[in-house]
Amino acid sequence: MLSKALGESVKTGVSLRSIERNQDKWVINWNDHEYSYDQVILTTPAHSLSKLPLERSLHSALEFLRAIDYPPVSVLNLAFKRSQVSHPLDGFGLLIPECEKRSVLGVLFPSSIFQHRTPEGDVLLTIFVGGNRQPELATPDTEELLRHVLPEIREILGIKDSPCFIHHKYWEKSIPQYNLGYGQFLKQIKDVEKKFYGLQIMGNYKDGISLSNCIEQAIRS
Ligand SMILES: Cc1cc2nc3c(=O)[nH]c(=O)nc-3n(C[C@H](O)[C@H](O)[C@H](O)COP(=O)(O)OP(=O)(O)OC[C@H]3O[C@@H](n4cnc5c(N)ncnc54)[C@H](O)[C@@H]3O)c2cc1C
């Protein structure tokens, strides 16, 4: 939808063969044709950069970004009949501190925050599991996840019986962790951008993770 709205300036589904610096231009071969550009902006996640057909020197220069930690997360959306849930769900959601030794990291109440998230009379919960704290609990196996999650949220939110809707998305590499020493990655990114004139590296591993951080970053550049 977004690409349609942007029209001819966006090309999707192309086959990228090479990205190379040639004198003062970037030469990109896509769909078996070569095109010259003044600037190249790389916006894939850090862990995907190595999959791009970058010239060897740039590929090596970006190798350090593979060390950024992207722990896995399972995001489970469960809907229940309102009458099944005794908690009023009168808030944004909940975060569970580590000391409580639970499997669930946190729960959002999307049907309390936004309209039309569920049919009338239902409620929706978005449950996060895994992350940096318990990466081993994030799993692509929905049944296994439900075995961990359902007893906990039943207890915390006073829920009876089974959900009427289940949607699970497993993020094998979710979001970059700005761990201690992260400044070194940022410094190295700047050095690479200086060395490869006309190159910009952007994404949630640079100036903040939230969608609004990413939009601000794009507007600033
Ligand atoms: C589970 C989860 C929940 C989140 N919740 C929130 C929230 O509530 N609020 C909030 O503000 N933020 C949230 N975030 C964070 C936010 O969504 C992301 O940080 C942000 O969308 C990242 O934007 P980006 O442009 O850096 O990367 P992305 O949006 O990941 O874009 C990268 C693009 O690169 C493409 N790509 C990858 N590899 C290749 C390749 N080899 N070749 C070509 N293209 C490739 C991908 O298909 C993708 O389109 C959440 C993130 C996750 C994972």
Side-chain angles (χ1 to χ4, degrees), residues 1 7 11 21 28 37 51 78 99 122 129 133 141 155 158 162-163 166 176 182 189 203 207 209-210:
M1 220 162 81
K11 314 279 183 215
R21 183 91 192 133
I28 303 190
Y37 300 97
K51 294 180 195 144
L78 302 180
C99 61
D122 290 2
V129 176
R133 216 159 78 189
D141 182 340
E155 185 196 330
S162 300
I166 299 173
Y182 200 85
I189 290 173
D207 285 326
I209 289 160
S210 75

Side-chain angles (χ1 to χ4, degrees), residues 43-45 48 51-52 75 128 171 174-175 203-204 209-211 214:
T43 62
T44 69
S48 290
K51 294 180 195 144
L52 297 177
V75 181
F128 296 84
W171 297 82
S174 61
I175 49 176
N204 62 355
I209 289 160
S210 75
L211 215 47
C214 295

Side-chain angles (χ1 to χ4, degrees), residues 159-178:
I159 297 173
K160 283 189 296 216
D161 305 325
S162 300
C164 51
F165 169 85
I166 299 173
H167 179 272
H168 172 211
K169 165 87 180 162
Y170 172 65
W171 297 82
E172 191 181 358
K173 290 176 185 289
S174 61
I175 49 176
Q177 304 296 300
Y178 286 47

Side-chain angles (χ1 to χ4, degrees), residues 198-215:
L199 174 74
Q200 277 194 68
I201 298 163
M202 297 182 68
N204 62 355
Y205 57 96
K206 210 172 145 191
D207 285 326
I209 289 160
S210 75
L211 215 47
S212 50
N213 289 148
C214 295
I215 292 167

Side-chain angles (χ1 to χ4, degrees), residues 105-126:
L105 291 172
V107 184
L108 294 176
F109 304 156
S111 52
S112 301
I113 312 167
F114 303 109
Q115 287 183 323
H116 313 305
R117 290 291 142 144
T118 54
E120 197 66 29
D122 290 2
V123 291
L124 184 67
L125 306 176
T126 302

Side-chain angles (χ1 to χ4, degrees), residues 7 19 30 48-49 52 59 73 81 93 101 106-107 110 118 127 135 140 148 162 189 195 205 218:
I19 301 176
W30 55 273
S48 290
L49 284 169
L52 297 177
H59 193 277
V73 165
K81 299 286 162 209
K101 309 264 178 265
V107 184
T118 54
I127 299 148
H148 281 118
S162 300
I189 290 173
K195 184 172 169 196
Y205 57 96

Side-chain angles (χ1 to χ4, degrees), residues 10-221:
V10 174
K11 314 279 183 215
T12 59
V14 302
S15 175
L16 199 53
R17 298 260 184 259
S18 60
I19 301 176
E20 287 169 3
R21 183 91 192 133
N22 190 349
Q23 291 170 358
D24 59 344
K25 293 280 182 193
W26 285 92
V27 179
I28 303 190
N29 184 319
W30 55 273
N31 286 359
D32 289 325
H33 291 284
E34 280 192 351
Y35 301 87
S36 285
Y37 300 97
D38 296 323
Q39 263 205 324
V40 166
I41 306 174
L42 301 178
T43 62
T44 69
H47 55 78
S48 290
L49 284 169
S50 61
K51 294 180 195 144
L52 297 177
L54 304 170
E55 65 176 53
R56 191 177 299 209
S57 57
L58 179 55
H59 193 277
S60 316
L62 294 175
E63 191 68 24
F64 69 95
L65 287 172
R66 296 180 73 174
I68 294 178
D69 182 21
Y70 280 80
V73 165
S74 276
V75 181
L76 189 59
N77 281 287
L78 302 180
F80 296 91
K81 299 286 162 209
R82 187 69 195 86
S83 55
Q84 287 178 262
V85 184
S86 66
H87 191 281
L89 305 179
D90 51 348
F92 189 85
L94 57 101
L95 281 173
I96 302 186
E98 195 169 4
C99 61
E100 293 204 13
K101 309 264 178 265
R102 301 266 188 181
S103 305
V104 170
L105 291 172
V107 184
L108 294 176
F109 304 156
S111 52
S112 301
I113 312 167
F114 303 109
Q115 287 183 323
H116 313 305
R117 290 291 142 144
T118 54
E120 197 66 29
D122 290 2
V123 291
L124 184 67
L125 306 176
T126 302
I127 299 148
F128 296 84
V129 176
N132 211 17
R133 216 159 78 189
Q134 296 162 307
E136 69 287 355
L137 294 184
T139 168
D141 182 340
T142 307
E143 289 305 313
E144 187 190 330
L145 192 67
L146 286 168
R147 269 197 300 280
H148 281 118
V149 165
L150 271 179
E152 284 192 9
I153 62 152
R154 281 192 175 120
E155 185 196 330
I156 296 168
L157 298 171
I159 297 173
K160 283 189 296 216
D161 305 325
S162 300
C164 51
F165 169 85
I166 299 173
H167 179 272
H168 172 211
K169 165 87 180 162
Y170 172 65
W171 297 82
E172 191 181 358
K173 290 176 185 289
S174 61
I175 49 176
Q177 304 296 300
Y178 286 47
N179 294 328
L180 197 64
Y182 200 85
Q184 189 55 34
F185 288 118
L186 300 178
K187 186 186 167 302
Q188 280 177 273
I189 290 173
K190 271 200 185 132
D191 290 346
V192 173
E193 286 174 332
K194 254 189 224 151
K195 184 172 169 196
F196 292 85
Y197 185 74
L199 174 74
Q200 277 194 68
I201 298 163
M202 297 182 68
N204 62 355
Y205 57 96
K206 210 172 145 191
D207 285 326
I209 289 160
S210 75
L211 215 47
S212 50
N213 289 148
C214 295
I215 292 167
E216 276 174 29
Q217 187 188 144
I219 291 170
R220 268 202 314 271
S221 70

